[in-house]
Amino acid sequence: DAGVTQSPTHLIKTRGQQVTLRCSPKSGHDTVSWYQQALGQGPQFIFQYYEEEERQRGNFPDRFSGHQFPNYSSELNVNALLLGDSALYLCASSLGLMAGETQYFGPGTRLLVL
Amino acid sequence: AQSVTQLGSHVSVSEGALVLLRCNYSSSVPPYLFWYVQYPNQGLQLLLKYTSAATLVKGINGFEAEFKKSETSFHLTKPSAHMSDAAEYFCAVGPNAGNMLTFGGGTRLMVKP
């Protein structure tokens, strides 16, 4: 049973560039959430996708956008990168949007912005 | 709005000693509560979760947590620490509508031989 997978594992970009991160959910899951984990901090919720629509969004600017495909995989796009966007980006998948439903996390993509 | 506070960013115990990691939450309604563990350069792994079925929740690797509504706490314990328990531990709270998580700042557990 394949778990949550993310690509790439590491990425280096410069300020002002754009980046796309990818996530494939755990088999059987249809909901994908994205989190940003800065060094030494807990993950912060960015947004959540279900049925190819953004359902919930955390306190992140519009530079952060996403997409969900018919096969439930998802992309996170960040435009006009800032140094402060350097972080571990975690994707989590779950079955539906029900409260209390467990989220399963991938290994993350570590983004460094120079 | 929900929030989570983890007291102690670093906790050090000796191998075989009791592990106690503290978590307090703020929520206007009965919450869903989770403990996740993160090993170096890895994602988060679920240890256990509270969904109101029982106040004492048993998880993987010998960990358990007790939900105390009067203290708004959900502390994580393990009777005897192993070297392999050294990792970062995160407490998280989920709403009663939707399942986005709000995480605490994490506690790094160090286990001394």
Side-chain angles (χ1 to χ4, degrees):
Chain A
D1 181 18
V4 179
T5 60
Q6 293 186 243
S7 63
T9 56
H10 295 80
L11 206 50
I12 300 176
K13 292 287 188 179
T14 57
R15 281 178 298 174
Q17 284 189 314
Q18 179 264 345
V19 69
T20 297
L21 311 182
R22 296 175 176 82
C23 171
S24 291
K26 181 180 169 64
S27 177
H29 285 183
D30 56 8
T31 304
V32 173
S33 302
W34 287 92
Y35 293 79
Q36 181 195 65
Q37 185 180 16
L39 196 61
Q41 298 182 22
Q44 285 195 300
F45 175 73
I46 303 174
F47 44 54
Q48 182 178 65
Y49 277 84
Y50 174 71
E51 292 186 336
E52 302 182 49
E53 291 186 7
E54 182 181 296
R55 299 293 178 150
Q56 287 186 297
R57 188 178 184 94
N59 188 25
F60 279 81
D62 292 345
R63 297 187 298 109
F64 289 78
S65 64
H67 187 76
Q68 186 179 35
F69 299 93
N71 67 353
Y72 310 122
S73 66
S74 176
E75 288 182 348
L76 163 66
N77 300 293
V78 187
N79 293 323
L81 284 167
L82 304 174
L83 296 180
D85 294 331
S86 295
L88 179 68
Y89 288 84
L90 295 165
C91 170
S93 73
S94 61
L95 183 58
L97 299 172
M98 188 176 297
E101 190 67 32
T102 298
Q103 293 199 24
Y104 293 84
F105 285 80
T109 292
R110 190 165 296 281
L111 173 65
L112 177 61
V113 182
L114 301 176
Chain B
Q2 298 180 313
S3 65
V4 175
T5 301
Q6 293 185 240
L7 294 176
S9 59
H10 293 79
V11 170
S12 181
V13 301
S14 297
E15 192 173 19
L18 171 71
V19 175
L20 171 61
L21 305 183
R22 300 178 186 275
C23 172
N24 289 88
Y25 68 91
S26 171
S27 176
S28 58
V29 295
Y32 295 93
L33 294 160
F34 304 78
W35 275 99
Y36 283 87
V37 61
Q38 186 175 37
Y39 297 101
N41 300 315
Q42 294 187 27
L44 303 176
Q45 179 183 6
L46 180 70
L47 279 176
L48 49 83
K49 72 175 183 180
Y50 167 75
T51 57
S52 77
T55 57
L56 183 63
V57 182
K58 294 187 183 298
I60 63 171
N61 301 338
F63 285 94
E64 63 181 36
E66 186 173 8
F67 173 69
K68 293 186 176 180
K69 184 178 179 181
S70 61
E71 299 177 7
T72 61
S73 69
F74 191 56
H75 301 331
L76 182 71
T77 60
K78 181 174 180 177
S80 176
H82 294 176
M83 296 296 292
S84 60
D85 294 328
E88 188 93 21
Y89 291 81
F90 292 96
C91 181
V93 61
N96 62 347
N99 61 6
M100 56 162 281
L101 297 174
T102 300
F103 284 87
T107 297
R108 181 167 298 277
L109 176 66
M110 294 167 284
V111 182
K112 300 175 291 186

